[in-house]
Amino acid sequence: MSKKNVIVAQSGGPTVAINASLAGVVQAVIQSENYNVVYGSIYGILGILENHILNLSEKAEEIPDFIETLKISPSMYLGSCRYKLPDYEDDDATYAFIFNQFKKYDIGAFFYIGGNDSMDTVSKLSHYGEQIGSDIRIIGIPKTIDNDLCITDHTPGYGSAAKYVASSILEVAHDTYIYSVKSVTIVEIMGRDAGWLTAASALARNSYNTAPHLIYFPEVAFDKDQFIADVKEQLSKRNNVIIAVSEGIRDKDGNYFSAAKPASDQFGHAQLSGAGKCLEYFIKEAINVKVRSIELNVLQRCGAHISSLTDIEESFSLGLHAVSCAASGMSKCMLIIKRISDSPYQTAITTADIKGIANEAKSIPRQWINEAGNDVTPDLVNYMAPLITGEPDISYQNGLPVYLPVTHLNTIN
Amino acid sequence: MSKKNVIVAQSGGPTVAINASLAGVVQAVIQSENYNVVYGSIYGILGILENHILNLSEKAEEIPDFIETLKISPSMYLGSCRYKLPDYEDDDATYAFIFNQFKKYDIGAFFYIGGNDSMDTVSKLSHYGEQIGSDIRIIGIPKTIDNDLCITDHTPGYGSAAKYVASSILEVAHDTYIYSVKSVTIVEIMGRDAGWLTAASALARNSYNTAPHLIYFPEVAFDKDQFIADVKEQLSKRNNVIIAVSEGIRDKDGNYFSAAKPASDQFGHAQLSGAGKCLEYFIKEAINVKVRSIELNVLQRCGAHISSLTDIEESFSLGLHAVSCAASGMSKCMLIIKRISDSPYQTAITTADIKGIANEAKSIPRQWINEAGNDVTPDLVNYMAPLITGEPDISYQNGLPVYLPVTHLNTIN
């Protein structure tokens, strides 16, 4: 029997570790006895629908240090999409087309690297595959800076974003402490409806840095009066108060705090922006103090020059494992990380049924947030701390980090 | 004759190289045959006025790797101030008090590391010293991310901020290129009324990255209609347009473009914010396209983990030279960098009379901006390129960069 090929795609929002998982898949296929060519679908599942396919085996041969440079390059080498598959009961033509493409490219396994929404695609394709009796393996590889996927201990991409957040808070603290006049600095952090990434701000604390002094999570209903009281108490104790706030904080009725009007994307997520600005206005109204708000914005998800080696290596391993799982006959699953111990930090890679992962989100357990709802507990610090450790070896040319060119994406002319 | 002591202070806004100049002063005094103890004035000149003085010679002995860690630590080890000395014709009591403090601490030289406003202080103290026949050397060491000081080829701190800006634009480009839907991303960059730091965005261009596609400078009057025409033209050529804009852009009548009302600080600088947000609104009004604006904010001036080795080493050398200049009898001057050649990059350190530097600002020469006023010229690229090269050796502990503790600043409790 001749060896089948595999196809891989990336979807959702960028992280700096999602290319490490892709590098793992490419390396595993190149070294595999079970598979032949590894193809990449450009712009997520859309590449399969629009026949926009890249031969990654060829790229790996042509480009020097392809695997190593891909591993540390930010964002998505294959491009992304935010495309939701129709239900196949409503429209099975799309599914038929996809499986026809699989046949055309002699595909034995499809890997989708993504977050909640991408796992929805894995789940739907798996079910359709079962219905038509296909033996093509459909496997999800997790990624999201939000760390909100169920069952896996944490998500690839989270550790690096957490490292970016913690180091930024530390540097902002140095920037803030130099003035003897009282000030409040608010740092708005991503994470949608989960506070994991905001919690990582606490990792900035060390022998001399007490910031952040207050942390606000989507998991705890935000109360404006309590917030002002918290800030006043902090200002009575120190000159320069630094606050970390999640973009996804909501009041007790579930309304987002946002200076701008929330819109919705195709998956029904509110487009969040402005929680930090909003808290800035609250303080300006109530307290006579210098206030500044900082939005870390997309750099927290694409700042590859300060990524976590632990995160990059785990993401790479997940890619490697995905290929061996497919070869051993597994399908309809997502790769997950199981934690064996915090200290020394030890993990194992295994798989979980895609059911129960897709479209579900994991919040911070309430007992990992302090009673007042404005700080982390030591248990949460112990959980996060190992994930940001280690620094990958980044090459610089002309003063800038060297990443893999993405000239195959037709967005660049 | 017994050896005199020196005192050093830092003032104005932070950069990641200002501590390297401080490290240079400390090292030079420790090794000097002319000077004894090096004192640090906490919170700029205010530390002398309030008798808040740190013995840096002791610190250097007590703290392991003091000089090396200080060199790469962001912001200001001694704290800062934004204090403007009164004119001594109006109030010479403040001056008398400062020179009395110099006498008390047996000071032979005072070094002030800062930007335009700090050079105003150097100028005033020098003049007063002359009037009273003091032989205390008063010397300025430049720093500002804005690169807007006259006479010096460039300012310490600029190269590192420029490297932060260029690498951020490169990473934002990777983040943006992954979507096949058209989008405009606006990145707002600091620099007050000079476009030097915004121009550094052009250094992000490489073999595959064409971003930024448009650059807007304070040096060219901003025209809203022309801007919309520029963006439409870019959108006709590519999917993902990235725009770099200075916080200080103004219309032909000199009005800032800002979503918020400009306030003023003690030196009469407008508090700029919102140029990026403002351009975002202009596009939303005129073009049906996805738009996002990103404000690099204070991280561009405190992101020490991605500083430029060229910048750090030059800043350190300026500190060393300042001490030998003082020992050789110089005063009433600022250290400056002279460029000998672009390629290979060669510079020399010399001094300039403080007159003509204080309170003057240097803009980008018009011929270094293209005719359309929306991009740099190759000459400007050649000027900037050497300044961001090289990476200092940063140590990491628990996943975070190791900087020097600032527990002596009383803002931390």
Side-chain angles (χ1 to χ4, degrees):
Chain A
M1 195 181 108
S2 73
K3 291 199 280 183
K4 294 262 185 190
N5 303 319
V6 316
I7 191 161
V8 54
Q10 300 172 310
S11 174
T15 82
V16 304
I18 187 166
N19 281 333
S21 291
L22 176 63
V25 169
V26 175
Q27 171 142 316
V29 172
I30 288 171
Q31 297 174 344
S32 168
E33 292 174 4
N34 302 285
Y35 295 111
N36 189 17
V37 176
V38 51
Y39 291 108
S41 170
I42 302 292
Y43 302 129
I45 192 81
L46 289 178
I48 296 173
L49 290 169
E50 294 166 4
N51 207 36
H52 196 169
I53 309 285
L54 195 71
N55 186 321
L56 288 167
S57 299
E58 274 177 20
K59 284 272 174 194
E61 244 175 65
E62 284 165 21
I63 300 175
D65 303 320
F66 181 81
I67 299 284
E68 286 310 307
T69 314
L70 182 58
K71 256 176 101 164
I72 56 84
S73 293
S75 199
M76 288 133 112
Y77 185 68
L78 298 174
S80 181
C81 68
R82 293 217 182 258
Y83 177 79
K84 196 179 170 80
L85 277 178
D87 284 333
Y88 60 83
E89 287 90 350
D90 299 338
D91 168 18
D92 71 353
T94 305
Y95 291 82
F97 185 84
I98 291 170
F99 278 80
N100 204 45
Q101 288 285 74
F102 287 161
K103 197 172 167 190
K104 181 174 144 199
Y105 285 93
D106 200 19
I107 298 300
F110 170 59
F111 303 102
Y112 212 23
I113 315 175
N116 307 52
D117 302 329
S118 314
M119 296 312 136
D120 174 76
T121 299
V122 170
S123 179
K124 284 172 170 168
L125 286 177
S126 301
H127 277 98
Y128 180 83
E130 260 182 355
Q131 297 263 330
I132 63 165
S134 163
D135 65 351
I136 295 171
R137 317 301 177 204
I138 314 277
I139 294 182
I141 302 174
K143 72 86 214 166
T144 167
I145 61 166
D146 301 340
N147 197 40
D148 63 349
L149 286 183
C150 295
I151 304 173
T152 187
D153 175 75
H154 56 279
T155 57
Y158 170 65
S160 293
K163 186 184 187 110
Y164 184 94
V165 166
S167 61
S168 295
I169 293 277
L170 179 63
E171 291 175 339
V172 167
H174 275 268
D175 192 88
T176 303
Y177 290 154
I178 61 169
Y179 293 114
S180 57
V181 287
K182 284 199 179 277
S183 69
V184 178
T185 305
I186 299 156
V187 182
E188 183 187 313
I189 297 160
M190 284 180 165
R192 291 184 185 266
D193 291 329
W196 297 106
L197 196 53
T198 303
S201 61
L203 299 177
R205 293 174 186 153
N206 60 25
S207 65
Y208 64 93
N209 173 43
T210 51
H213 306 104
L214 295 166
I215 309 176
Y216 296 98
F217 309 90
E219 285 82 357
V220 180
F222 184 87
D223 181 87
K224 186 180 160 182
D225 294 336
Q226 185 56 51
F227 168 68
I228 294 298
D230 289 352
V231 175
K232 282 184 175 166
E233 195 207 336
Q234 287 296 327
L235 281 168
S236 75
K237 289 198 280 191
R238 66 190 85 247
N239 278 350
N240 310 109
V241 174
I242 296 176
I243 298 170
V245 62
S246 164
E247 64 175 354
I249 54 163
R250 287 186 277 184
D251 67 16
K252 63 178 170 32
D253 301 318
N255 302 307
Y256 291 106
F257 285 91
S258 166
K261 208 179 157 151
S264 269
D265 74 4
Q266 204 188 347
F267 287 93
H269 307 307
Q271 296 296 306
L272 309 178
S273 84
K277 221 28 162 185
C278 198
L279 298 203
E280 183 185 329
Y281 295 148
F282 287 166
I283 294 176
K284 278 181 175 160
E285 264 172 29
I287 309 174
N288 181 25
V289 68
K290 195 181 151 197
V291 194
R292 182 198 289 272
S293 68
I294 300 168
E295 199 184 332
L296 292 188
N297 219 308
V298 299
L299 288 162
Q300 65 200 293
R301 72 184 192 193
C302 64
H305 68 273
I306 189 158
S307 54
S308 153
L309 183 63
T310 300
D311 184 28
I312 296 295
E313 289 300 343
E314 281 181 348
S315 303
F316 184 70
S317 293
L318 255 60
L320 293 175
H321 272 73
V323 176
S324 44
C325 285
S328 71
M330 301 189 72
S331 186
K332 208 184 168 180
C333 61
M334 182 181 86
L335 276 286
I336 61 163
I337 299 166
K338 271 184 80 144
R339 187 177 304 217
I340 295 162
S341 74
D342 282 341
S343 178
Y345 176 65
Q346 283 187 307
T347 56
I349 295 173
T350 174
T351 58
D353 194 286
I354 197 72
K355 203 180 127 187
I357 294 172
N359 302 320
E360 298 286 328
K362 183 175 72 178
S363 298
I364 302 178
R366 186 59 185 83
Q367 69 271 23
W368 277 6
I369 297 173
N370 73 347
E371 213 183 311
N374 60 16
D375 207 341
V376 298
T377 64
D379 282 344
L380 180 45
V381 171
N382 292 339
Y383 165 83
M384 297 186 294
L387 307 181
I388 70 165
T389 59
E391 292 71 45
D393 194 14
I394 309 276
S395 297
Y396 283 77
Q397 198 168 30
N398 303 325
L400 293 181
V402 176
Y403 301 134
L404 212 54
V406 285
T407 32
H408 52 280
L409 299 180
N410 65 11
T411 52
I412 304 176
N413 322 56
Chain B
M1 196 181 106
S2 74
K3 292 199 280 183
K4 294 260 184 192
N5 304 318
V6 315
I7 190 160
V8 55
Q10 300 171 311
S11 173
T15 83
V16 304
I18 187 168
N19 281 333
S21 292
L22 176 62
V25 170
V26 175
Q27 172 143 314
V29 173
I30 288 171
Q31 297 173 343
S32 169
E33 292 173 4
N34 303 284
Y35 295 111
N36 188 18
V37 176
V38 51
Y39 292 106
S41 169
I42 302 292
Y43 302 128
I45 192 81
L46 290 179
I48 297 173
L49 290 169
E50 295 166 3
N51 208 36
H52 196 168
I53 311 285
L54 195 70
N55 186 323
L56 288 166
S57 300
E58 275 177 20
K59 283 271 175 196
E61 245 176 65
E62 284 165 21
I63 300 174
D65 303 321
F66 180 81
I67 299 285
E68 285 311 306
T69 314
L70 181 59
K71 255 176 103 166
I72 56 84
S73 293
S75 198
M76 289 132 112
Y77 185 67
L78 298 174
S80 181
C81 68
R82 292 216 181 259
Y83 177 80
K84 196 178 172 80
L85 278 178
D87 285 334
Y88 61 82
E89 288 89 350
D90 300 338
D91 168 18
D92 71 353
T94 305
Y95 292 83
F97 185 84
I98 292 171
F99 277 79
N100 204 46
Q101 287 286 73
F102 288 161
K103 198 173 166 189
K104 180 176 144 197
Y105 284 94
D106 200 20
I107 298 301
F110 169 60
F111 303 102
Y112 211 22
I113 315 174
N116 307 51
D117 302 328
S118 315
M119 296 312 137
D120 175 75
T121 299
V122 170
S123 179
K124 284 173 170 168
L125 286 177
S126 302
H127 277 97
Y128 180 83
E130 260 182 354
Q131 297 263 331
I132 63 165
S134 164
D135 65 351
I136 295 170
R137 317 301 178 205
I138 313 277
I139 294 182
I141 303 174
K143 72 85 213 167
T144 167
I145 62 166
D146 301 339
N147 198 38
D148 63 349
L149 286 183
C150 294
I151 304 175
T152 187
D153 175 74
H154 57 278
T155 57
Y158 170 65
S160 294
K163 185 185 189 112
Y164 184 94
V165 165
S167 61
S168 295
I169 293 278
L170 179 62
E171 291 176 339
V172 167
H174 275 268
D175 192 88
T176 303
Y177 289 154
I178 61 169
Y179 294 113
S180 57
V181 288
K182 284 199 179 278
S183 68
V184 178
T185 305
I186 300 156
V187 181
E188 182 187 315
I189 297 161
M190 284 180 166
R192 292 184 184 265
D193 291 329
W196 298 105
L197 196 53
T198 303
S201 61
L203 299 177
R205 293 174 186 150
N206 59 26
S207 65
Y208 64 93
N209 173 44
T210 52
H213 306 105
L214 294 166
I215 309 177
Y216 296 98
F217 308 90
E219 285 82 357
V220 180
F222 184 88
D223 182 86
K224 186 179 157 181
D225 295 336
Q226 186 56 52
F227 168 67
I228 294 298
D230 289 352
V231 175
K232 281 184 175 165
E233 196 207 338
Q234 286 295 329
L235 281 167
S236 75
K237 289 197 279 192
R238 65 191 85 246
N239 278 350
N240 310 109
V241 175
I242 296 176
I243 299 170
V245 62
S246 164
E247 62 174 356
I249 54 163
R250 287 185 280 184
D251 67 16
K252 63 177 170 33
D253 301 318
N255 303 307
Y256 291 105
F257 285 91
S258 168
K261 209 180 158 151
S264 269
D265 73 5
Q266 205 189 346
F267 288 93
H269 306 307
Q271 295 296 308
L272 309 179
S273 84
K277 217 37 162 180
C278 197
L279 298 202
E280 182 186 330
Y281 295 148
F282 287 165
I283 294 176
K284 278 181 175 160
E285 264 173 30
I287 309 173
N288 181 25
V289 67
K290 194 181 152 196
V291 194
R292 182 199 289 272
S293 68
I294 300 169
E295 198 184 335
L296 292 188
N297 218 310
V298 298
L299 288 162
Q300 66 200 292
R301 73 182 189 192
C302 64
H305 68 272
I306 190 160
S307 54
S308 152
L309 183 63
T310 301
D311 184 28
I312 296 294
E313 290 300 343
E314 281 181 349
S315 304
F316 184 70
S317 293
L318 255 60
L320 292 175
H321 273 72
V323 176
S324 43
C325 284
S328 72
M330 301 188 71
S331 186
K332 207 182 169 181
C333 61
M334 183 181 85
L335 277 285
I336 61 163
I337 300 166
K338 271 185 80 145
R339 188 177 303 218
I340 295 160
S341 75
D342 282 342
S343 179
Y345 176 66
Q346 284 187 306
T347 57
I349 294 173
T350 174
T351 58
D353 194 285
I354 198 73
K355 205 181 127 185
I357 294 171
N359 302 319
E360 297 288 327
K362 183 176 73 178
S363 298
I364 302 178
R366 185 60 184 83
Q367 69 270 22
W368 278 5
I369 297 173
N370 73 348
E371 214 183 309
N374 59 18
D375 206 342
V376 298
T377 64
D379 282 344
L380 180 45
V381 171
N382 293 339
Y383 165 83
M384 297 186 293
L387 308 181
I388 69 164
T389 57
E391 292 71 45
D393 194 14
I394 308 276
S395 297
Y396 283 77
Q397 197 170 29
N398 303 326
L400 293 182
V402 176
Y403 301 135
L404 212 54
V406 284
T407 31
H408 52 281
L409 299 179
N410 65 10
T411 53
I412 304 176
N413 324 54

